Amino acid sequence: MHLIQPALHSRRAFLRRSGQLALSGTALPFALNLAAIGEAAAFNATDYKALVCVFLYGGNDYANTVVTYDDPSYNLYSTIRGGGAGQTAGGIALAKSALTPTLLNPTTALPGARQYALHPSMTGLASLFNLGHAAVQLNVGPLVVPLTRTQYNSADRSTWPLPPKLFSHNDQQSIWQSSSPEGSTIGWGGNLGDLALGGNSNSLFTCISVTGNAVFLSGDSALQYQVSTGGAVAINSVKSNVYGSAAVKAAMATLVQQSRTNLLENEYNRVTTRAVTAESQVTSALASYPAANAPFSTFPASNPLADQLKMVARLIAARSALGATRQVFMVSIGGFDLHDNLISQHPTLLGRVSDAMTAFYNATAALGVADKVTAFTASDFGRTLASNGDGADHGWGSHHLMVGGAVKGAAFYGTPPPVSVGNTAAPEDQWHVGQGRLLPSTSVDQYAATLARWFGVADSELAGILPNLGHFGAAAGRPDYPSDLGFMR
């Protein structure tokens, strides 16, 4: 097998060329402009769409988030994790009786009468699922090529390559966000932004982070604009009086924004000017959508993720003032590296995720854009099904949630993994690589490609965003690993 190298799709090439020409002061050739018009058609529509990545840092425990519920599977889960009736000391299984209120009721039953419930603290997301506004993607994680456990164990890495640095937090966070380990500078969210830049009258507000710097939102041309939960970040010496003096403030504003003859000094001041202008634009736009007003006032308090998603909702409300028709956002919550204290700490974390994402969906519905905004979860990796005593260790595949009016909800996508921790030739052990670490049956590239198509990316452009996608789907001879998972309308 020869690995497909990442393709440089045409629109990204155009953006790079146009950026280089703009820096040199050269006018774009007429033919190149005509080509760009055709390439950008999918993103020149007047409708609005946004993707919101909700990253769960630390590696979320899949088995206590989307919990197997049917009796045969639950009994195996309870035996492996220690729980339910006759729970062992230090067990990390959830009691089945606690799961009944969050039982997920898909419109199409799963094969083999499999059933799942969400964690008892996730009542909001369970309700959204059952109302058809949320769905679950089962057992998704980084893959270079489709793998079985035998292939995973093979010494032939040229034929059966593995994602680099499996089970490493920083590397797997980066691989989820960019298809490359730590040190990567370009993410697939940023590449989506590259394609959408031309459709936004103010390209700076295409990729917005409310959680600090993240490779996910960095593109070849798209920049990630960072805001706080309170709004745009101001340069204080330009925004406010310095030492009580308006004159000093004015002098500082001139000093850090005026043109300079030195190339580096001039570029620094140009970036500063852009930051000052952007802060003013965001602050002005958000003023029409105060956090104290509905629907933003309905977000839960004392919930850092809710604070981030509230800001995203306000920015979406202000989309016209910001000149945006396509946007990619990122928010996050940490604390999921629960080698210990899983039972005591996991409920609070998942409760915050559920409450925040439910409030966010409700806000988009109130704003009339629920079908234009899709939020999805991601995390470093799942965790082991086997307990280490008080928690679980680093894993690989995991279950994730998609929420929004365009999601084909009340449904599970992918293949329910067997409940097992063994390492035998038995069929139930083929989707685990030891201790109940799930071997993904769906790749991040498939997951991302499904979201990207809905966002407006053409099939011909996907390979330039997701370098491993060419190994999946019917064209690669793997129709069992479709490049569109079907969860978006």
Side-chain angles (χ1 to χ4, degrees):
M1 178 182 296
H2 298 286
L3 298 185
I4 299 173
Q5 296 300 315
L8 184 62
H9 56 64
S10 57
R11 198 179 306 168
R12 276 170 59 191
F14 165 74
L15 288 167
R16 183 180 291 107
R17 290 194 299 269
S18 62
Q20 291 166 345
L21 289 168
L23 286 172
S24 66
T26 305
L28 286 173
F30 180 66
L32 190 56
N33 272 319
L34 289 179
I37 290 171
E39 290 171 352
F43 286 93
N44 283 342
T46 57
D47 68 330
Y48 176 81
K49 287 185 179 180
L51 286 170
V52 184
C53 176
V54 181
F55 207 93
L56 315 181
Y57 279 105
N60 182 42
D61 183 74
Y62 76 87
N64 278 15
T65 301
V66 182
V67 191
T68 190
Y69 186 85
D70 58 282
D71 283 341
S73 299
Y74 178 83
N75 291 338
L76 289 170
Y77 155 89
S78 179
T79 298
I80 292 167
R81 290 208 140 185
Q87 181 174 1
T88 60
I92 60 170
L94 300 168
K96 188 170 185 181
S97 58
L99 299 170
T100 303
T102 52
L103 179 64
L104 302 179
N105 299 305
T107 54
T108 301
L110 286 168
R114 289 292 298 272
Q115 290 181 294
Y116 288 97
L118 292 185
H119 189 283
S121 66
M122 302 180 78
T123 53
L125 283 177
S127 178
L128 287 184
F129 180 101
N130 290 330
L131 289 170
H133 306 315
V136 173
Q137 179 65 50
L138 295 165
N139 193 14
V140 57
L143 287 172
V144 178
V145 297
L147 289 173
T148 65
R149 185 171 59 81
T150 299
Q151 293 160 352
Y152 166 81
N153 289 328
S154 169
D156 183 2
R157 291 279 74 94
S158 62
T159 304
W160 309 114
L162 302 179
K165 301 183 179 180
L166 282 171
F167 318 127
S168 159
H169 282 294
N170 292 350
D171 293 294
Q172 296 309 302
Q173 290 162 11
S174 182
I175 287 170
W176 253 97
Q177 296 178 33
S178 72
S179 302
S180 298
E182 186 176 21
S184 177
T185 58
I186 304 295
W188 60 268
N191 284 157
L192 293 178
D194 286 337
L195 301 182
L197 287 177
N200 292 337
S201 60
N202 192 329
S203 61
L204 185 60
F205 302 130
T206 303
C207 296
I208 301 182
S209 173
V210 199
T211 185
N213 190 47
V215 68
F216 174 70
L217 291 179
S218 294
D220 283 310
S221 298
L223 303 173
Q224 57 176 304
Y225 182 72
Q226 298 181 32
V227 300
S228 73
T229 55
V233 179
I235 299 175
N236 290 332
S237 61
V238 174
K239 184 78 172 178
S240 307
N241 288 347
V242 180
Y243 302 119
S245 171
V248 175
K249 180 188 79 169
M252 287 293 298
T254 300
L255 184 66
V256 299
Q257 297 181 82
Q258 65 187 178
S259 297
R260 300 295 185 95
T261 56
N262 181 279
L263 181 63
L264 294 179
E265 288 179 350
N266 193 62
E267 182 65 13
Y268 181 88
N269 280 15
R270 190 181 70 84
V271 171
T272 302
T273 300
R274 183 178 64 199
V276 170
T277 302
E279 186 275 331
S280 177
Q281 291 172 318
V282 171
T283 300
S284 175
L286 290 177
S288 299
Y289 303 95
N293 289 3
F296 319 110
S297 58
T298 60
F299 280 76
S302 303
N303 183 328
L305 183 61
D307 292 341
Q308 295 173 52
L309 285 171
K310 182 195 296 186
M311 177 50 61
V312 173
R314 294 176 65 201
L315 289 165
I316 289 173
R319 62 195 179 278
S320 295
L322 296 176
T325 58
R326 288 291 189 277
Q327 290 181 289
V328 186
F329 296 91
M330 184 165 177
V331 297
S332 72
I333 179 172
F336 288 91
D337 192 20
L338 295 174
H339 294 274
D340 303 294
N341 302 309
L342 180 70
I343 287 295
S344 62
Q345 295 183 15
H346 205 216
T348 299
L349 294 170
L350 292 181
R352 288 174 176 166
V353 171
S354 179
D355 293 348
M357 294 186 73
T358 301
F360 180 70
Y361 173 82
N362 291 337
T364 63
L367 293 169
V369 293
D371 62 335
K372 305 296 184 184
V373 180
T374 302
F376 62 96
T377 63
S379 189
D380 319 14
F381 36 63
R383 305 194 78 82
T384 59
L385 181 60
S387 170
N388 63 15
D390 194 28
D393 295 323
H394 297 180
W396 189 353
S398 192
H399 307 323
H400 284 289
L401 289 147
M402 304 80 69
V403 179
V407 173
K408 297 177 183 177
F412 295 93
Y413 296 87
T415 304
V419 183
S420 172
V421 295
N423 190 30
T424 71
E428 64 268 21
D429 289 334
Q430 296 310 299
W431 297 106
H432 303 83
V433 294
Q435 296 182 278
R437 291 184 174 93
L438 292 183
L439 171 59
S441 52
T442 300
S443 74
V444 173
D445 292 66
Q446 295 170 270
Y447 185 61
T450 306
L451 295 164
R453 281 194 180 91
W454 171 80
F455 193 67
V457 177
D459 285 355
S460 61
E461 296 170 321
L462 285 170
I465 296 171
L466 302 162
N468 297 317
L469 187 63
H471 303 138
F472 301 90
R478 296 306 303 259
D480 51 333
Y481 284 80
S483 60
D484 191 327
L485 299 172
F487 58 74
M488 298 299 297
R489 291 187 172 88

